[in-house]
Amino acid sequence: MRMRHFLLLAVLGLCALPALACRMTMAFEQWPPYLYRDAQGRYTGLDLELLHAIFKEARCTLLTVPELPTARRQLLFQKGELDLLPAASDTSERHAYARFSVSYRDETVGIFGKAGTHAVQRHVGSFGQLARGTATLLAPKVGWYGADYAAARPALEKAGRLNAFGSFRQGILMLDAGRADLLLGDVLAVRHEARLQGVPLTALPFLALRAPVHLMLNARTTSAADLARLNTAITHLEQRGVLAAIRARYEAP
């Protein structure tokens, strides 16, 4: 009887303790304006601000490790040495090793030309229409930029109308030098780099891609409860307009 009484008290005591706070580790990778170092060498950016707000609301701790290249981050994540990757697309293949939060922002891909040039044609309303024209295009070497671009890419390459760039800094320099008429890329990243270089741009009046992105959690090192806490935090912050206010500061032209 005395042992049963002790066990009951122990269970009641554990239930009375506060839930253990979730802790997740991610590695930095510079991707202005989502995550980068400012003039003082401090990390900042849209995704970092959104993450801090979400983790604070969820009462979780976000731990960070030094910068890693993309391939290395992906490898460590799949090996269970990183818990979190931001700005991830939810794909069926990744469900074998990851779980995904609700969306916390969209990614958008647009097409830009130098302001005032003939290549920026306001009447062009689709990627297919653009591909049937004569304008030359700069596009990133790697990454997914929408089904319309993927469908048009072989014909653009065959016609010699497509050139690739490695970084958006390089892409803006090439556009400014007249290496092509137009540039394809992430809307915020292109605008951020163009402002840094002082190159005025005009966007074509359509998006090549708009898609939600998510926080990708390691299925081995995080729990369903961790995911639920982050999802609840994102939902509450969206309802209060907190995340929208952060996004708006970066999305302003």
Side-chain angles (χ1 to χ4, degrees):
M1 175 68 76
R2 188 172 295 176
M3 178 60 72
R4 289 172 61 188
H5 182 64
F6 173 79
L7 289 174
L8 179 61
L9 288 175
V11 171
L12 290 174
L14 287 173
C15 291
L17 291 174
L20 292 175
C22 61
R23 303 165 72 89
M24 298 183 203
T25 301
M26 65 170 276
F28 284 137
E29 180 188 18
Q30 293 206 54
W31 178 243
Y34 300 103
L35 202 160
Y36 64 102
R37 287 182 184 270
D38 62 17
Q40 290 71 45
R42 296 171 300 196
Y43 285 106
T44 186
L46 173 57
D47 271 353
L48 193 57
E49 287 196 39
L50 293 171
L51 279 167
H52 283 161
I54 293 166
F55 271 70
K56 181 178 179 181
E57 178 75 14
R59 297 184 180 179
C60 293
T61 301
L62 179 63
L63 305 173
T64 58
V65 299
E67 291 180 35
L68 293 171
T70 301
R72 181 67 174 162
R73 283 196 318 145
Q74 292 284 348
L75 177 61
L76 291 180
F77 182 85
Q78 293 188 38
K79 291 173 63 177
E81 296 181 33
L82 293 174
D83 306 313
L84 173 73
L85 293 180
S89 298
D90 185 345
T91 65
S92 57
E93 295 82 2
R94 289 175 169 177
H95 279 257
Y97 56 84
R99 59 182 101 239
F100 294 85
S101 75
V102 296
S103 174
Y104 69 96
R105 67 168 174 85
D106 285 348
E107 66 175 0
T108 53
V109 175
I111 303 171
F112 301 83
K114 286 183 66 175
T117 62
H118 71 280
V120 184
Q121 302 172 38
R122 291 291 183 182
H123 64 276
V124 176
S126 70
F127 205 102
Q129 190 176 356
L130 173 68
R132 290 191 294 272
T134 59
T136 51
L137 182 68
L138 293 163
K141 290 180 180 178
V142 296
W144 172 254
Y145 295 94
D148 291 342
Y149 170 63
R153 181 174 176 173
L156 290 171
E157 289 178 329
K158 185 176 180 180
R161 295 170 51 206
L162 184 66
N163 290 303
F165 59 84
S167 68
F168 283 107
R169 180 179 183 277
Q170 181 188 28
I172 295 296
L173 285 171
M174 293 171 71
L175 183 69
D176 193 34
R179 294 282 299 277
D181 300 315
L182 300 169
L183 182 145
L184 170 80
D186 179 279
V187 169
L188 296 190
V190 170
R191 287 177 174 166
H192 178 84
E193 187 58 45
R195 281 194 294 267
L196 289 179
Q197 296 192 35
V199 178
L201 299 180
T202 300
L204 268 63
F206 69 94
L207 291 174
L209 173 69
R210 179 185 289 276
V213 296
H214 313 260
L215 302 179
M216 183 164 70
L217 279 60
N218 193 306
R220 290 167 52 192
T221 63
T222 67
S223 67
D226 293 332
L227 179 63
R229 292 177 75 153
L230 294 181
N231 282 341
T232 299
I234 293 169
T235 301
H236 288 171
L237 291 171
E238 291 286 16
Q239 291 170 345
R240 302 204 305 268
V242 175
L243 300 186
I246 296 172
R247 293 191 296 261
R249 288 193 286 104
Y250 286 85
E251 292 167 359

